[in-house]
Amino acid sequence: MDLRIEPAQGLYVSLSEVPLGEWYPFFMQWQVPVGVSAAYVVLSFYMNSRITSRPSAKSKEPGAKKSIFEPLTMLTFVHNVVLAIYSGWTFMNAFPPFVMGIINKGWFEGLCDLDGSLLNSVLFVHNYLFYLSKYYELVDTLIIILKGRKASFLQIYHHAGVILM
């Protein structure tokens, strides 16, 4: 039984077909991720220095519950729902072609994509949008700071570093 499936014709994607594709040349300049990461680190450490105490979740009164309709709670909820839906959508669209590449080409060629057919097609779209989502994830730190908590070094390091990758 042959499990190999021939790839569809016309796999290569044009930037005009990609959501926010017109911004691709801008985001691919090295100055953009370096500048955004540097500004993010400086602002995050500055904002951390302005926060005098770090309230914990346990410091609330026993039995005191926050309303889900408070603006910051709603912002956090919506932010997390958007990220969860986006992550699920990305997985559902990127994983099947990835698996099909392994089935069609074998482990080595499927994982390495030596001919670039996978990364220049459907995975290009999802890799690019995933990269853009890293900028949106900087909102995580903003939410932490708006809650009156300090962002951890790991949080800042992770968000600044992942944009540079």
Side-chain angles (χ1 to χ4, degrees), residues 32-48 134-145 150-164:
V32 174
V34 169
V36 169
S37 291
Y40 167 75
V41 168
V42 169
L43 283 171
S44 296
F45 281 117
Y46 172 74
M47 293 307 294
N48 272 353
K134 299 302 127 190
Y135 288 93
Y136 173 70
E137 287 183 19
L138 298 180
V139 173
D140 288 345
T141 306
L142 177 64
I143 289 171
I144 289 170
I145 290 170
K150 291 184 178 184
S152 70
F153 175 77
L154 180 62
Q155 166 97 9
I156 296 168
Y157 175 79
H158 165 74
H159 283 295
V162 79
I163 288 175
L164 297 175

Side-chain angles (χ1 to χ4, degrees), residues 7-159:
Q9 297 299 315
L11 281 177
Y12 293 93
V13 175
S14 167
L15 283 176
S16 62
E17 300 169 5
V18 178
L20 302 172
E22 66 274 7
W23 286 91
Y24 182 81
F26 173 75
F27 281 108
M28 293 302 113
Q29 297 176 57
W30 68 267
Q31 298 93 331
V32 174
V34 169
V36 169
S37 291
Y40 167 75
V41 168
V42 169
L43 283 171
S44 296
F45 281 117
Y46 172 74
M47 293 307 294
N48 272 353
S49 73
R50 307 287 296 166
I51 298 170
T52 56
S53 65
R54 185 176 180 149
S56 70
K58 296 177 184 175
S59 66
K60 296 177 189 159
E61 292 179 26
K65 292 187 177 183
K66 273 189 160 181
S67 168
I68 192 166
F69 299 109
E70 289 182 22
L72 193 51
T73 304
M74 284 300 291
L75 172 68
T76 304
F77 177 76
V78 170
H79 172 71
N80 288 330
V81 167
V82 166
L83 283 177
I85 290 171
Y86 169 74
S87 295
W89 176 80
T90 299
F91 176 78
M92 293 302 293
N93 286 286
F95 189 67
F98 176 73
V99 170
M100 290 309 297
I102 293 171
I103 290 170
N104 289 335
K105 300 176 184 177
W107 279 102
F108 181 74
E109 286 185 42
L111 289 173
C112 297
D113 192 32
L114 297 176
D115 63 358
S117 62
L118 195 55
L119 285 175
N120 288 322
S121 62
V122 68
L123 284 188
F124 171 80
V125 174
H126 295 292
N127 282 345
Y128 175 59
L129 294 176
F130 182 76
Y131 173 71
L132 293 181
S133 77
K134 299 302 127 190
Y135 288 93
Y136 173 70
E137 287 183 19
L138 298 180
V139 173
D140 288 345
T141 306
L142 177 64
I143 289 171
I144 289 170
I145 290 170
L146 288 175
K147 286 183 174 182
R149 294 190 236 148
K150 291 184 178 184
S152 70
F153 175 77
L154 180 62
Q155 166 97 9
I156 296 168
Y157 175 79
H158 165 74
H159 283 295

